[in-house]
Amino acid sequence: MAALDSLSLFTSLGLSEQKARETLKNSALSAQLREAATQAQQTLGSTIDKATGILLYGLASRLRDTRRLSFLVSYIASKKIHTEPQLSAALEYVRSHPLDPIDTVDFERECGVGVIVTPEQIEEAVEAAINRHRPQLLVERYHFNMGLLMGEARAVLKWADGKMIKNEVDMQVLHLLGPKLEADLEKKFKVAKARLEETDRRTAKDVVENGETADQTLSLMEQLRGEALKFHKPGENYKTPGYVVTPHTMNLLKQHLEITGGQVRTRFPPEPNGILHIGHAKAINFNFGYAKANNGICFLRFDDTNPEKEEAKFFTAICDMVAWLGYTPYKVTYASDYFDQLYAWAVELIRRGLAYVCHQRGEELKGHNTLPSPWRDRPMEESLLLFEAMRKGKFSEGEATLRMKLVMEDGKMDPVAYRVKYTPHHRTGDKWCIYPTYDYTHCLCDSIEHITHSLCTKEFQARRSSYFWLCNALDVYCPVQWEYGRLNLHYAVVSKRKILQLVATGAVRDWDDPRLFTLTALRRRGFPPEAINNFCARVGVTVAQTTMEPHLLEACVRDVLNDTAPRAMAVLESLRVIITNFPAAKSLDIQVPNFPADETKGFHQVPFAPIVFIERTDFKEEPEPGFKRLAWGQPVGLRHTGYVIELQHVVKGPSGCVESLEVTCRRADAGEKPKAFIHWVSQPLMCEVRLYERLFQHKNPEGPTEVPGGFLGDLNLASLHVVDAALVDCSVALAKPFDKFQFERLGYFSVDPDSHQGKLVFNRTVTLKEDPGKV
């Protein structure tokens, strides 16, 4: 019966029946909400209206100090606190003033009690916001993000009623745009489709300007569902512009559909000779994402045709990175799985008069205007014997190649299909001494795996003709190659060869050095995979090459970590502070919220003792104007403690350097509110902190105009600063590698794998805000 009474009470407060039942499962929350409702009814003497009920629920679910319940309920019941922003301010106030009594005048000022926001003020604020976005509003109409207008108006009128702002926005937008048209009622992706078709007609400069994406309306999944792309349906390859149709095409497509069932199939085909970088993240998102968005499958296929450059660690790292980004391959395959079939097809090409053994050297084959091979018309029987001799190891490296008889779009003539290499293969051992090239292997592996959409970056557009030619020359199923724009970042190099140079010269430690933009490096630095995927979605599926600013990626990182990285306190350059009148005989346990904006996510406990450590920069004997932290005659609050400290004595060493401070403390509500609250640690853990800056000084470290001396001469010598004796609160003692935290006032940090028992190592992932000094 009591449960039924509580359920009825909670629904009368405005909670849905489901929400009320969930609340009943939490005994502490239920008890606090019942008490709040009872007290409110006693004050009102009547039924609680829904708006008040929702505020009471917000109070009960977020209030930590139950002693303040009656005080805050009285303000809500009397309508002195009647909006969500006021409630949030009130909760923040009582958190920062944990001890009695509360200065009601100061409380009411901080919570906007009695502040009246007139309809005229709301009208003016909304009108100003609309005028700022008027051009975009007129183009996007009702597809524009109206929340942006409400947010800007709310920023100006802190205590305004949110519903009143929304109503004013709706009214003014209706006055500007008129009633909704049929196009306004269409789903967003249809509008975006038209926009993307328009951007296809623009130049790359039109699509991407100054590293900012031109269209950020759709999520990546929405972009990849086929509505925004002109991709063919499985089995309709022949409808694609430029696709070559032969007498065998339709029968091969019919067989293809019987095998696949009309399923979308893609593949991500990395070379296992280096670590994946940020550009590969776009390829992973595109290939796996397109398949996922269309209920298809995606293969992870290693293009392992170059044994002298391949290492086991690269295979492992690539698999790890694909999984880290949240994707599971339908199957992991290798080009080497198909070596026998590829060899048989090469023999068949020779039989058909479409390939020949050539003896031109590598340097003679470079470039696009090479002379025709003098062996191009060699008899088929002779090439068959010579190709068999190549396979049996009768030629030295570079002495013979197998070449295909075609001219590609870029003018390159007769690309190489096979070359001699006496390097054992990591999977096939010494079975082969001839290995196929990318130009030969890629399309045929796609054919074997019945790939429907072979997605690759724009530089492979010049190989599209060889892709179609080779499948059709062998009368096998021919997929469709689609090209998209590569993703690059300023202030970075991602070339495998250049990263190896950086490692060899000691500029970075290895492929996972957090200053690089390889995916292993970004993971080690603490970038969440969701942030990288979100960044790829913002970049979008443009055909133009995009070079983005790193701060746009960092903004995505902050968005994720703000909601997922629990707070802790750390001090990088410490200054010892002795509280001479500490209010207890032993240390106090302080409850600190893991996420101050959402206390339902829990708390952690830190000790507060007579000796604390603060940042050295939070104290100045002779402060400059505007300095708000600890100084003579200028007390500061210690975050989360409810105490304020005031300087009494400065202790200096023989050299005159400040060694420690002696202070007194008082309760925060026992005097004037300090100008600032600073972070601190007490009984801390010692740790190492690594602070990273950009590895290169210029936007384009590989650009000969910007950096004439080459990228190795553009290194930022201050790109890594190590703090050996940083201090961190004991709440992180059990942290594991890759655990992430926000160190209050300092930034977001991640535990480095170099950590060991007794010594944690933290990498700074990003600062709390973008550095305004960065261009």
Side-chain angles (χ1 to χ4, degrees):
M1 182 62 72
L4 288 174
D5 290 342
S6 293
L7 180 65
S8 177
L9 172 64
F10 294 170
T11 53
S12 73
L13 296 177
L15 273 64
S16 67
E17 184 172 339
Q18 181 183 355
K19 187 70 174 178
R21 290 187 185 280
E22 289 175 359
T23 301
L24 283 171
K25 295 176 184 177
N26 186 329
S27 57
L29 173 57
S30 296
Q32 187 146 293
L33 182 55
R34 278 194 298 270
E35 180 62 24
T38 301
Q39 292 184 22
Q41 282 179 332
Q42 291 172 353
T43 301
L44 290 168
S46 61
T47 305
I48 299 171
D49 62 271
K50 183 176 179 180
T52 301
I54 295 301
L55 286 177
L56 290 173
Y57 176 80
L59 171 65
S61 62
R62 294 156 62 188
L63 180 66
R64 175 164 50 96
D65 187 352
T66 56
R67 294 174 305 162
R68 303 297 192 192
L69 183 67
S70 298
F71 175 78
L72 294 175
V73 167
S74 68
Y75 273 84
I76 293 173
S78 63
K79 304 287 188 181
K80 290 181 178 179
I81 290 177
H82 58 89
T83 66
E84 170 58 31
Q86 284 184 302
L87 176 60
S88 295
L91 289 167
E92 179 59 33
Y93 190 93
V94 298
R95 274 195 293 269
S96 59
H97 297 76
L99 304 174
D100 291 315
I102 283 182
D103 182 344
T104 56
V105 174
D106 187 47
F107 171 80
E108 293 183 0
R109 181 175 60 251
E110 291 295 318
C111 299
V113 173
V115 175
I116 297 174
V117 180
T118 66
E120 291 77 13
Q121 289 175 306
I122 293 176
E123 181 181 351
E124 289 174 5
V126 171
E127 184 178 1
I130 286 177
N131 285 336
R132 281 192 292 274
H133 299 282
R134 188 184 184 90
Q136 192 175 356
L137 255 171
L138 291 172
V139 172
E140 296 188 11
R141 292 181 56 79
Y142 287 96
H143 294 289
F144 181 84
N145 179 11
M146 303 303 172
L148 182 62
L149 303 177
M150 290 186 279
E152 291 188 5
R154 171 65 61 79
V156 175
L157 303 173
K158 182 178 180 180
W159 307 117
D161 183 271
K163 288 184 179 178
M164 291 182 66
I165 291 178
K166 183 181 185 305
N167 292 338
E168 184 64 27
V169 167
D170 290 344
M171 188 178 69
Q172 290 199 31
V173 169
L174 178 63
H175 180 73
L176 174 66
L177 303 179
K180 288 185 178 181
L181 306 175
E182 186 176 342
D184 297 320
L185 300 175
E186 292 180 355
K187 291 183 179 179
K188 271 191 173 184
F189 64 71
K190 291 187 177 179
V191 176
K193 176 182 179 181
R195 285 196 211 135
L196 283 176
E197 288 173 350
E198 174 61 27
T199 56
D200 281 347
R201 292 191 288 271
R202 301 177 190 169
T203 63
K205 183 179 179 182
D206 291 325
V207 177
V208 179
E209 296 181 6
N210 301 320
E212 302 280 357
T213 54
D215 191 301
Q216 297 180 6
T217 304
L218 303 177
S219 73
L220 184 67
M221 287 299 105
E222 287 173 317
Q223 293 180 54
L224 294 178
R225 282 196 176 98
E227 295 295 335
L229 298 169
K230 308 181 188 72
F231 284 179
H232 67 283
K233 294 179 181 178
E236 295 186 355
N237 305 30
Y238 59 91
K239 293 185 178 181
T240 305
Y243 189 80
V244 179
V245 177
T246 74
H248 302 280
T249 296
M250 301 313 293
N251 188 45
L252 288 167
L253 288 176
K254 182 181 177 182
Q255 295 172 17
H256 161 72
L257 285 174
E258 289 173 355
I259 292 169
T260 65
Q263 185 180 46
V264 166
R265 290 187 168 203
T266 61
R267 83 290 167 269
F268 174 57
E271 296 179 70
N273 59 4
I275 298 295
L276 303 182
H277 55 71
I278 187 67
H280 290 111
K282 179 178 178 180
I284 291 170
N285 272 276
F286 199 179
N287 280 284
F288 283 92
Y290 183 70
K292 182 178 179 181
N294 291 280
N295 299 314
I297 59 175
C298 182
F299 292 79
L300 170 57
R301 185 205 308 143
F302 288 104
D303 181 21
D304 57 342
T305 58
N306 202 1
E308 60 194 9
K309 294 184 178 180
E310 294 157 7
E311 294 182 42
K313 70 175 183 179
F314 296 137
F315 288 89
T316 303
I318 289 170
C319 286
D320 287 348
M321 289 301 98
V322 170
W324 179 62
L325 289 177
Y327 294 107
T328 302
Y330 166 72
K331 188 177 181 182
V332 177
T333 60
Y334 303 80
S336 55
D337 291 340
Y338 312 119
F339 276 178
D340 288 321
Q341 177 64 73
L342 294 173
Y343 178 78
W345 274 336
V347 171
E348 181 60 25
L349 269 185
I350 298 172
R351 291 189 195 280
R352 295 187 180 198
L354 298 175
Y356 62 95
V357 173
C358 174
H359 302 289
Q360 286 180 296
R361 290 283 176 175
E363 56 272 15
E364 298 177 74
L365 299 176
K366 290 180 179 177
H368 298 309
N369 298 312
T370 56
L371 295 173
S373 169
W375 293 277
R376 197 171 199 263
D377 296 321
R378 168 173 263 160
M380 173 263 291
E381 295 81 4
E382 189 177 325
S383 283
L384 283 173
L385 291 171
L386 291 171
F387 189 49
E388 177 67 10
M390 287 172 61
R391 188 182 73 82
K392 291 181 176 179
K394 295 183 178 180
F395 289 101
S396 60
E397 291 189 13
E399 191 177 352
T401 59
L402 181 70
R403 296 175 67 183
M404 299 177 282
K405 288 186 179 180
L406 81 150
V407 179
M408 297 198 292
E409 291 101 325
D410 60 359
K412 185 177 179 182
M413 188 174 182
D414 294 356
V416 172
Y418 271 86
R419 70 276 202 221
V420 177
K421 284 185 180 291
Y422 291 104
T423 303
H425 190 276
H426 68 104
R427 297 185 76 237
T428 60
D430 294 324
K431 179 179 178 180
W432 299 93
C433 64
I434 57 171
Y435 293 98
T437 62
Y438 175 91
D439 287 325
Y440 178 77
T441 305
H442 190 71
C443 61
L444 295 180
C445 288
D446 282 353
S447 179
I448 292 169
E449 294 176 351
H450 281 273
I451 301 303
T452 58
H453 300 78
S454 182
L455 308 174
C456 56
T457 48
K458 284 291 277 188
E459 65 264 32
F460 293 102
Q461 187 169 358
R463 291 169 173 173
R464 191 194 283 193
S465 62
S466 70
Y467 188 102
F468 292 157
W469 178 90
L470 186 50
C471 290
N472 290 328
L474 290 165
D475 291 323
V476 297
Y477 161 71
C478 183
V480 179
Q481 175 175 305
W482 290 93
E483 302 89 11
Y484 60 91
R486 177 187 284 272
L487 169 62
N488 294 315
L489 282 180
H490 287 306
Y491 300 98
V493 299
V494 294
S495 153
K496 297 164 189 172
R497 179 178 59 82
K498 290 177 180 175
I499 290 177
L500 281 171
Q501 286 181 261
L502 290 170
V503 173
T505 58
V508 297
R509 295 200 326 178
D510 207 337
W511 292 84
D512 65 348
D513 188 294
R515 290 166 289 182
L516 296 173
F517 283 92
T518 61
L519 294 184
T520 52
L522 296 178
R523 179 178 64 170
R524 184 166 190 167
R525 184 157 171 168
F527 281 37
E530 306 94 314
I532 294 174
N533 292 342
N534 293 345
F535 176 65
C536 291
R538 288 191 185 183
V539 172
V541 191
T542 59
V543 295
Q545 178 168 307
T546 54
T547 303
M548 308 296 288
E549 294 288 350
H551 71 79
L552 298 174
L553 173 58
E554 292 170 0
C556 293
V557 172
R558 291 188 189 93
D559 287 345
V560 173
L561 291 181
N562 184 54
D563 295 331
T564 58
R567 278 41 170 178
M569 291 190 288
V571 172
L572 301 188
E573 302 291 341
S574 63
L575 178 58
R576 178 186 173 99
V577 176
I578 303 162
I579 303 173
T580 58
N581 65 335
F582 192 73
K586 59 179 183 178
S587 66
L588 301 174
D589 291 330
I590 303 296
Q591 295 291 107
V592 179
N594 295 329
F595 295 86
D598 184 0
E599 294 190 354
T600 63
K601 292 184 177 180
F603 296 79
H604 60 272
Q605 189 170 282
V606 296
F608 176 41
I611 296 177
V612 300
F613 298 88
I614 67 172
E615 289 287 355
R616 190 167 285 273
T617 53
D618 280 341
F619 164 72
K620 290 199 179 205
E621 280 191 277
E622 299 178 6
E624 66 275 7
F627 183 77
K628 294 182 179 180
R629 286 157 281 172
L630 186 60
W632 286 110
Q634 185 166 287
V636 294
L638 296 179
R639 287 179 64 79
H640 308 298
T641 65
Y643 284 91
V644 173
I645 57 173
E646 185 161 5
L647 184 63
Q648 300 298 325
H649 182 58
V650 178
V651 180
K652 297 183 178 181
S655 65
C657 178
V658 175
E659 291 186 344
S660 63
L661 306 175
E662 292 180 3
V663 303
T664 56
C665 73
R666 63 169 172 82
R667 294 185 305 187
D669 55 3
E672 186 179 347
K673 183 179 179 180
K675 293 182 178 180
F677 285 82
I678 61 174
H679 65 281
W680 54 276
V681 291
S682 188
Q683 299 175 4
L685 306 172
M686 187 173 289
C687 64
E688 177 182 316
V689 172
R690 299 168 181 173
L691 306 175
Y692 298 99
E693 300 293 343
R694 287 176 180 156
L695 184 59
F696 297 100
Q697 301 178 64
H698 292 85
K699 267 190 175 185
N700 304 301
E702 299 172 274
T705 304
E706 200 168 343
V707 186
F711 73 100
L712 288 175
D714 193 46
L715 291 170
N716 172 16
L717 300 181
S719 61
L720 171 61
H721 173 59
V722 178
V723 182
D724 290 314
L727 303 176
V728 64
D729 73 49
C730 57
S731 69
V732 305
L734 300 179
K736 305 179 297 299
F738 304 113
D739 283 352
K740 297 165 181 59
F741 301 90
Q742 183 197 110
F743 290 166
E744 297 197 35
R745 299 176 65 219
L746 297 179
Y748 294 101
F749 292 77
S750 178
V751 181
D752 189 87
D754 284 347
S755 299
H756 55 82
Q757 182 138 15
K759 184 65 175 289
L760 287 169
V761 179
F762 290 94
N763 296 318
R764 184 171 67 188
T765 306
V766 288
T767 54
L768 289 179
K769 295 181 180 179
E770 181 189 339
D771 185 349
K774 290 182 180 179
V775 179

